[in-house]
Amino acid sequence: MAVKKNQENVGILKKLPVSNKVCTFGSNVKKIGEEDPRKLVHSIKVGLAIALVSLFYYFEPLFNYEGFGVSSMWAVLTVVVVFEFSVGATLGKSVNRGIATFLAGSLGVAAHKLATFSGSNKLQPIILGLSVFSIAAIATFMRFVPKLKARYDYGLLIFILTFSMISVSGYRDHVVLDKAITRVTTILIGGAAAIAFNVVIYPVWAGEDLHNFIGTYIEDLGISLEGHGTQYFKKLNIKSEEELERISLEEYKCVINSKATEENLVNFAKWEPRHGKFKYRHPWEEYLKIGNLVRKCANNINALNSDLSSCNMTQEGRKKIQEPCTKICIECGSALKEIALSMKTMTLYPTIDSYILKAKASAEKLRSIIRSGGLIEEDELQKLLPSTRIASLMLDLVSNSVEIVDSVNQLGGLMKFKILSSKPKRLGSKSRIPSGSISEAHHVVNVE
């Protein structure tokens, strides 16, 4: 239904005049800026950095000094390539590019000198060719090593490119050393400019985004679980219309495919210096553990949602499991929403344990109903929704919720979260981070 509606919208858009299409495009651009203003700031920072680095080329004839000439374009290219959305991503690519260029330049000069020492013009191209082959083959194979690929893949790629260019250009030109020094210098200038602008002007920290990212996804699970408890079993326990609007059975779906984004953010966060609550040697790996548990819970919710949506239970069968299933969903949902609030405020609340205890009690009650054989008489339920499966899924959800709460508590202990005895105040919908903007903004494209 949604696909058909989108196709109709596309068809209507094609029939619109050019002026309306321009207005629609403008409104979409405005929406992007309003959803995440940091994207607009990032665009301005990139423009300023490129303009500043370009002055090395434009001011050369103005002040009559012998600068880098056309090689200044390497500084501009470096800014374009390494200037990413977050500080961690920029630092990672800048360090990779700088070290790789220096090492490749040094090896390129050494290979050229080795070829020159042979004293034979016929041997020089053979020596250089073998050098390029061996270095490129070894560096390419190293890119398959998981630990190296995770953090240094871009550096290895630049290493291969720089070594090949300097070696080949050295064979054609006898000023290979000057070329190597010039390229290393211009790349260092470009990298330093990108880092300076990204750190000084409204920095975006990947570690902070990762922290909020996990908190938002845990909250999505809580909202989805409460939705199953209130909407499917028709037992509404909602305090306000605003909360009713936020309840959705499909909030969990954005969590299932979040692994790649989490791994990218962890990789970027490891490059970042100390900032705020995120100190040196911060336990970033804990976020991956929490993310795996969150996805495990989301998959169980997906299985539960699939079973419930395809089930036509009788009214009598629904009444028998209504109370324990509703309480499990609501209590687990409340616990997850509260632990998400703990992540965002970096504060641990004691009320979380009470939700977990209530969920466990309801799970035991549901298990007792199954064991007593109270559902065996329901033929439709036995065919469409086996009692053992729904009980297993409900118990798994309680277990998943406990694991997520314990993992966040462990992270809170390592980060020294505050511990309060009072009941927390719920954050409004404005505190939620648009997960789509996070994943899109931190998407990295390698361009040499």
Side-chain angles (χ1 to χ4, degrees):
M1 190 70 181
V3 175
K4 185 177 180 181
K5 187 175 181 181
N6 290 335
Q7 291 176 349
E8 291 177 355
N9 292 335
V10 171
I12 293 173
L13 185 61
K14 289 181 178 179
K15 296 178 182 179
L16 291 175
V18 177
S19 59
N20 289 348
K21 290 182 180 179
V22 173
C23 293
T24 303
F25 176 77
S27 63
N28 291 335
V29 172
K30 182 181 178 182
K31 183 180 178 181
I32 293 173
E34 290 175 347
E35 286 181 351
D36 194 352
R38 300 179 303 173
K39 293 180 179 179
L40 178 61
V41 176
H42 172 71
S43 303
I44 295 173
K45 289 192 294 185
V46 173
L48 289 174
I50 293 175
L52 177 65
V53 173
S54 299
L55 297 180
F56 284 97
Y57 179 78
Y58 291 121
F59 281 178
E60 181 177 342
L62 206 63
F63 294 99
N64 295 321
Y65 76 96
E66 186 177 352
F68 299 112
V70 180
S71 296
S72 300
M73 291 299 102
W74 282 111
V76 177
L77 179 63
T78 299
V79 174
V80 174
V81 171
V82 305
F83 206 131
E84 294 290 345
F85 186 71
S86 66
V87 175
T90 302
L91 274 170
K93 295 191 78 172
S94 298
V95 172
N96 268 278
R97 190 176 182 89
I99 294 177
T101 302
F102 175 76
L103 293 176
S106 301
L107 285 177
V109 172
H112 176 72
K113 293 294 183 183
L114 180 64
T116 304
F117 288 153
S118 65
S120 173
N121 292 332
K122 294 182 179 180
L123 287 177
Q124 284 186 15
I126 297 175
I127 294 174
L128 289 175
L130 290 175
S131 300
V132 172
F133 165 75
S134 57
I135 294 296
I138 293 172
T140 300
F141 182 79
M142 291 175 68
R143 293 181 64 193
F144 293 106
V145 180
K147 290 186 178 180
L148 294 178
K149 185 175 182 63
R151 300 196 67 185
Y152 307 108
D153 184 67
Y154 178 71
L156 291 170
L157 193 64
I158 295 299
F159 176 83
I160 297 170
L161 176 66
T162 304
F163 178 80
S164 302
M165 290 182 64
I166 289 179
S167 297
V168 174
S169 64
Y171 171 62
R172 299 297 180 186
D173 195 346
H174 296 288
V175 290
V176 60
L177 183 60
D178 292 338
K179 285 183 175 292
I181 293 174
T182 300
R183 179 165 184 186
V184 170
T185 305
T186 52
I187 285 177
L188 290 177
I189 291 173
I195 293 172
F197 273 89
N198 212 346
V199 173
V200 174
I201 303 176
Y202 293 101
V204 176
W205 303 103
E208 185 176 341
D209 273 359
L210 173 65
H211 187 86
N212 295 327
F213 182 82
I214 297 294
T216 299
Y217 275 2
I218 295 176
E219 184 182 12
D220 288 340
L221 292 184
I223 294 173
S224 183
L225 275 175
E226 284 190 343
H228 280 82
T230 57
Q231 289 189 19
Y232 178 78
F233 292 103
K234 305 298 182 184
K235 185 176 179 181
L236 297 179
N237 185 22
I238 305 167
K239 298 179 180 179
S240 65
E241 293 183 1
E242 181 182 355
E243 190 174 355
L244 177 60
E245 292 176 357
R246 293 181 61 194
I247 287 182
S248 173
L249 297 179
E250 297 185 351
E251 286 283 344
Y252 67 89
K253 288 189 175 180
C254 59
V255 183
I256 295 176
N257 298 319
S258 62
K259 185 176 181 180
T261 304
E262 291 170 13
E263 290 178 346
N264 282 335
L265 288 174
V266 168
N267 185 28
F268 300 152
K270 288 179 179 179
W271 289 102
E272 293 178 344
R274 174 177 177 175
H275 58 281
K277 285 275 189 181
F278 307 95
K279 305 181 190 241
Y280 293 111
R281 296 183 179 179
H282 187 77
W284 298 116
E285 299 299 330
E286 292 295 322
Y287 291 92
L288 293 179
K289 293 179 182 178
I290 297 174
N292 289 332
L293 293 174
V294 169
R295 279 186 296 277
K296 182 180 177 182
C297 184
N299 287 325
N300 283 332
I301 296 176
N302 189 37
L304 177 66
N305 187 46
S306 177
D307 285 346
L308 294 179
S309 61
S310 61
C311 175
N312 297 318
M313 279 195 297
T314 61
Q315 191 65 26
E316 184 179 354
R318 183 190 297 273
K319 286 181 180 179
K320 288 181 180 179
I321 64 172
Q322 177 180 2
E323 183 181 355
C325 290
T326 300
K327 285 203 169 185
I328 287 175
C329 291
I330 291 178
E331 298 301 336
C332 288
S334 298
L336 291 177
K337 288 171 68 176
E338 197 150 307
I339 203 66
L341 181 63
S342 296
M343 285 280 292
K344 293 179 180 179
T345 60
M346 296 189 181
T347 305
L348 295 176
Y349 303 100
T351 51
I352 299 173
D353 293 336
S354 64
Y355 293 127
I356 295 297
L357 290 174
K358 292 177 183 178
K360 287 181 177 180
S362 299
E364 288 298 326
K365 187 174 181 180
L366 178 61
R367 185 180 296 166
S368 300
I369 294 174
I370 300 299
R371 287 177 177 174
S372 64
L375 296 176
I376 296 178
E377 298 177 359
E378 297 296 331
D379 296 334
E380 294 186 26
L381 185 60
Q382 285 288 82
K383 293 178 181 178
L384 300 174
L385 185 62
S387 57
T388 53
R389 178 162 177 78
I390 189 172
S392 175
L393 287 173
M394 288 297 179
L395 293 175
D396 286 345
L397 288 174
V398 175
S399 177
N400 295 151
S401 301
V402 172
E403 290 175 341
I404 293 172
V405 170
D406 289 343
S407 297
V408 174
N409 285 334
Q410 184 178 354
L411 177 64
L414 295 173
M415 292 186 65
K416 297 181 179 179
F417 282 6
K418 293 180 182 178
I419 301 178
L420 295 183
S421 58
S422 59
K423 187 175 181 179
K425 294 181 180 179
R426 296 289 183 187
L427 293 178
S429 58
K430 291 183 179 179
S431 66
R432 289 173 57 78
I433 297 176
S435 57
S437 66
I438 294 177
S439 58
E440 290 170 6
H442 289 284
H443 180 66
V444 178
V445 178
N446 290 336
V447 181
E448 285 69 46

